[in-house]
Amino acid sequence: MAYPDDLLSPSEHVVIHKHPHWKMLLLPVSAFLLVVGGGAYLAALVSDLSWASVAWISIAVVGSVLVAWLALAPVIRWRTTHFIVTSDRVMYREGVLKRTGLDIPLTRINSVRFEHSLLDRVLGCGTLIIESASDEPLEFDDIPGVERVHSMLYREINDNPEDDFQPEDRVSDGRA
């Protein structure tokens, strides 16, 4: 079974499954390009020296460490961060080595709102703020399509069939 399907109860289904917005990858991609470009420039500078092979190995080692730390780790962190809305709850999972998770039952959510700056509006993302029975509201940053997620989540919260108005019940009670 694929993630997050293996975490669901038998009657539960996924409504929305998102990773953070791709804007989180701009800095890691820029860092990758700078490290590779800087390493290539330094390798070209030392190519005429007698100890060029030692310098190339040093540049490759330092460049590999920088790429792993500044580019690869954030991409893996982005890929392993999940924001999921199901028919029963909101789930948030993040982390690679240290995995953390948060589940909020839809019945415990009091309100849902979103915020996005001008740049977020241009990029199509924002912050989703969920107020539940906890003390402080929970903020989920860089949710892609935050307005759509907001409306879908609101719809899931309020689409409880037990809460729907049923006029035939009023007639059968004799109050019509």
Side-chain angles (χ1 to χ4, degrees):
M1 228 185 251
Y3 187 84
D5 294 336
D6 55 347
L7 300 175
L8 305 178
S9 66
S11 63
E12 191 175 19
H13 66 276
V14 174
V15 177
I16 297 172
H17 180 192
K18 302 238 181 218
H19 293 284
H21 194 265
W22 57 264
K23 80 175 187 178
M24 290 185 67
L25 299 176
L26 290 177
L27 216 52
V29 168
S30 300
F32 174 78
L33 294 174
L34 284 173
V35 168
V36 170
Y41 177 73
L42 290 175
L45 281 179
V46 299
S47 64
D48 293 335
L49 301 176
S50 61
W51 47 276
S53 59
V54 173
W56 287 340
I57 292 171
S58 300
I59 291 169
V61 168
V62 170
S64 298
V65 169
L66 286 175
V67 164
W69 179 44
L70 297 174
L72 189 59
V75 168
I76 292 172
R77 194 174 311 114
W78 172 83
R79 184 72 179 113
T80 59
T81 300
H82 303 270
F83 179 81
I84 305 156
V85 177
T86 71
S87 54
D88 297 339
R89 59 189 162 154
V90 173
M91 300 165 47
Y92 186 76
R93 302 284 190 270
E94 67 180 339
V96 179
L97 300 176
K98 179 187 173 194
R99 193 101 172 112
T100 59
L102 172 71
D103 290 0
I104 308 168
L106 292 181
T107 56
R108 305 282 287 222
I109 295 176
N110 297 333
S111 68
V112 181
R113 63 187 175 100
F114 67 90
E115 295 176 352
H116 47 174
S117 65
L118 180 60
L119 179 62
D120 287 341
R121 289 176 68 188
V122 169
L123 295 175
C125 64
T127 300
L128 188 70
I129 303 161
I130 298 176
E131 293 181 21
S132 64
S134 66
D135 293 337
E136 296 181 19
L138 301 168
E139 294 188 8
F140 301 99
D141 296 324
D142 298 321
I143 301 293
V146 71
E147 289 185 48
R148 184 177 162 270
V149 172
H150 170 264
S151 63
M152 292 288 287
L153 181 56
Y154 184 78
R155 196 172 310 125
E156 282 298 315
I157 292 169
N158 291 312
D159 273 353
N160 185 351
E162 297 167 5
D163 293 341
D164 288 347
F165 175 70
Q166 299 172 350
E168 60 273 1
D169 289 344
R170 291 186 74 204
V171 172
S172 65
D173 290 341
R175 289 185 273 162

